[in-house]
Amino acid sequence: MGHDAGTSIRPSAAQRRVLAPLALAQFICSFAGSNMNVMINDISEDLDTTVQGVQIAITIFLLVMAALMIPGGKLTDRYGRKRCFLAGLVVYGIGALLSAAAPGLGVLILGNSILEGVGTALLIPPVYILTTLLFTDMASRARAFGAIMALGGIGAAAGPLIGGLITSWLSWRAAFVFQALVIALIVVLSRHIEDPLPPDPTRPFDTVGAVLSAAGLVLVVMGILAADNNVWLMTGLLALGALTLLWFFRHVRAREAAGKEPLLSTSLFRDRTSNLGLVTQNVQWLLLMGSSFTVAAYLQVVRGYDAVETGVIFTAATLGLLATSLAAERLAKRRPQRTLITAGFVVAVAGIVVLIAMVNSFPSAWAFAPGLLLLGLGLGLMLTPSVNVVQSSFPEERQGEISGLSRSVSNLGSSLGTAVAGTILVAELTTSAYAAAMITLAVLGLVGLTAAMLLPKTPATGDH
């Protein structure tokens, strides 16, 4: 590595001031993705809708993020990273307040799924780009990404507990007010951020590409959501989605051939290491969101637990995630990234197997703790190395593109996890449906494990 411990590894006070709002932003966006899982019963009763209605709201939120993350990453080059970050925070804050006041499912979907989703797509790419630009040496960058991923993981894993406590003490609406307050705090903290690169208003923006990529992703996830209602509708939507994505890639190739800048250059997919890293990221978030939705919905709807009881059981996953994400930097020095990602998948899949095995044999809620703990430990082990593998595969001038792609792939994993596992579970809401959803997740976990094992053997620290 060749850095002496005293100089570049400890982040300066200025770097810490910048890192706080960036890490908090990742926390609140991950929190928003999972905290509604424990409010399924409360929201569906209050807004007079079904579990499926709430599942659709959660999935649309994750989907809007995934669909707009790549365009969001590109807009940062044109309008500046700090400006996009602040604009995203404002849009998100308005969405949170609108959700808190929602009279019905429609307004909740507008506030939570659409405005918060759009806000997230604007504010998350700058988090990763600014971190890469402001933390220049590999050690401090690994530490910064470790802090951001740890807070993201805590947000996703502690979302159910924090959301559950707020829901039972006050109401589910207060959880959205909490989000708006955190957003206000981030806006205050981010006045220290200075954008290291000037915005370039002349940068072209590929609007057609943005529309096609978003439409294709939306159709695919809607197809999965339609699986329990109508097989023909599902097949039609999936086919349309695949055709739209094919059209998007044809459009990108045509723009590149004409010497214009596309939304996403095809050269991003020529790096084998990065491609495998992206597969592992997608599957990690699929496992995290899919299992947390499945377990949370099962506990509330089938077992009849309230929001707090469900949240408390999820603390096991939060503790696991915290333990391994906080050790990410130390582990990265001792072990190759491939080893960490592979071990993470083995532990996470083992956790899912335990969650399936324990559900029938023990009536107590604590039966879920060992499986959730293993799942959290496994995910915490591999979230940071996967991001590092991908971001470090590209030079600085491509960070905007790769950040957008990397976050988009992760969020697509989140929405696919909620859609796939949720659709299997919501179809009948029984113990056997729970087992079927979890078995599906375990099989997908094996796909991630295979990708991890195909990663090249790299030294413990991949200096670029």
Side-chain angles (χ1 to χ4, degrees):
M1 193 64 209
H3 289 301
D4 63 283
T7 51
S8 60
I9 289 186
R10 289 245 69 89
S12 65
Q15 281 183 323
R16 275 202 298 273
R17 277 205 300 274
V18 170
L19 192 56
L22 297 178
L24 263 178
Q26 176 64 66
F27 165 82
I28 200 67
C29 295
S30 301
F31 172 84
S34 74
N35 86 91
M36 273 173 70
N37 288 345
V38 294
M39 307 175 200
I40 296 168
N41 276 354
D42 295 87
I43 295 177
S44 54
E45 280 164 26
D46 202 0
L47 298 184
D48 201 25
T49 178
T50 58
V51 172
Q52 206 162 3
V54 182
Q55 183 206 3
I56 287 170
I58 294 172
T59 309
I60 292 174
F61 165 68
L62 294 164
L63 186 56
V64 168
M65 285 200 309
L68 299 180
M69 205 59 83
I70 297 171
K74 291 295 268 195
L75 286 172
T76 60
D77 295 327
R78 193 168 176 172
Y79 297 111
R81 284 130 293 268
K82 183 173 179 177
R83 198 180 297 166
C84 283
F85 183 63
L86 290 172
L89 289 168
V90 171
V91 173
Y92 187 106
I94 295 167
L97 293 172
L98 193 60
S99 305
L105 185 65
V107 178
L108 181 69
I109 287 180
L110 173 64
N112 171 257
S113 313
I114 296 174
L115 289 176
E116 287 194 16
V118 170
T120 306
L122 278 173
L123 73 87
I124 286 296
V127 169
Y128 287 80
I129 301 164
L130 286 166
T131 305
T132 308
L133 296 174
L134 295 167
F135 294 84
T136 43
D137 65 285
M138 198 68 188
S140 68
R141 191 182 295 172
R143 172 171 290 197
F145 273 132
I148 291 171
M149 294 313 291
L151 270 175
I154 294 165
L161 178 63
I162 301 169
L165 290 170
I166 297 173
T167 302
S168 59
W169 285 339
L170 302 160
S171 97
W172 62 268
R173 295 174 187 277
F176 286 105
V177 177
F178 167 74
Q179 289 182 38
L181 291 171
V182 174
I183 291 289
L185 171 65
I186 299 170
V187 171
V188 173
L189 289 173
S190 59
R191 62 180 194 280
H192 294 297
I193 296 176
E194 279 174 22
D195 200 333
L197 289 176
D200 176 6
T202 60
R203 274 297 272 272
F205 183 73
D206 178 7
T207 314
V208 178
V211 172
L212 286 175
S213 66
L217 295 176
V218 170
L219 286 165
V220 169
V221 177
M222 277 171 57
I224 296 170
L225 282 173
D228 57 332
N229 291 339
N230 185 328
V231 177
W232 291 110
L233 179 63
M234 172 188 89
T235 316
L237 286 168
L238 288 174
L240 262 178
L243 285 170
T244 312
L245 289 173
L246 190 66
W247 182 9
F248 165 64
F249 278 108
R250 295 284 298 266
H251 164 78
V252 165
R253 296 283 285 275
R255 264 187 90 96
E256 282 186 326
K260 295 180 189 158
E261 188 180 337
L263 180 73
L264 193 64
S265 67
T266 50
S267 62
L268 285 178
F269 296 103
R270 292 199 190 113
D271 187 306
R272 182 168 170 271
T273 306
S274 159
N275 286 347
L276 290 166
L278 288 169
V279 173
T280 64
Q281 277 186 21
N282 179 281
V283 178
Q284 286 160 16
W285 286 97
L286 191 150
L287 295 181
L288 177 61
M289 290 305 195
S291 55
S292 83
F293 179 84
T294 306
V295 174
Y298 174 76
L299 289 174
Q300 290 166 91
V301 182
V302 181
R303 294 272 183 100
Y305 292 166
D306 67 15
V308 176
E309 292 169 323
T310 308
V312 168
I313 295 162
F314 270 93
T315 325
T318 314
L319 291 173
L321 238 161
L322 254 179
T324 43
S325 341
L326 293 176
E329 191 195 5
R330 282 202 306 283
L331 291 167
K333 284 183 188 154
R334 296 194 192 141
R335 296 273 180 273
Q337 295 184 335
R338 181 177 91 151
T339 311
L340 295 176
I341 301 171
T342 308
F345 273 113
V346 171
V347 176
V349 172
I352 294 175
V353 172
V354 172
L355 281 169
I356 300 168
M358 299 295 256
V359 64
N360 276 328
S361 27
F362 298 96
S364 150
W366 291 109
F368 288 87
L372 287 170
L373 177 67
L374 282 171
L375 188 64
L377 285 168
L379 288 163
L381 253 185
M382 57 190 172
L383 286 173
T384 307
S386 280
V387 169
N388 258 334
V389 162
V390 174
Q391 300 275 148
S392 305
S393 299
F394 295 96
E396 285 201 353
E397 61 271 16
R398 316 239 14 217
Q399 287 299 321
E401 273 187 298
I402 193 61
S403 295
L405 175 63
S406 157
R407 307 288 26 97
S408 188
V409 163
S410 297
N411 285 308
L412 190 60
S414 299
S415 46
L416 286 174
T418 310
V420 172
T423 301
I424 297 169
L425 180 71
V426 171
E428 47 186 303
L429 285 168
T430 57
T431 304
S432 58
Y434 162 83
M438 295 305 273
I439 288 166
T440 308
L441 288 172
V443 171
L444 291 165
L446 295 175
V447 173
L449 175 61
T450 310
M453 290 165 76
L454 291 170
L455 280 167
K457 290 191 174 75
T458 46
T461 44
D463 232 326
H464 202 59

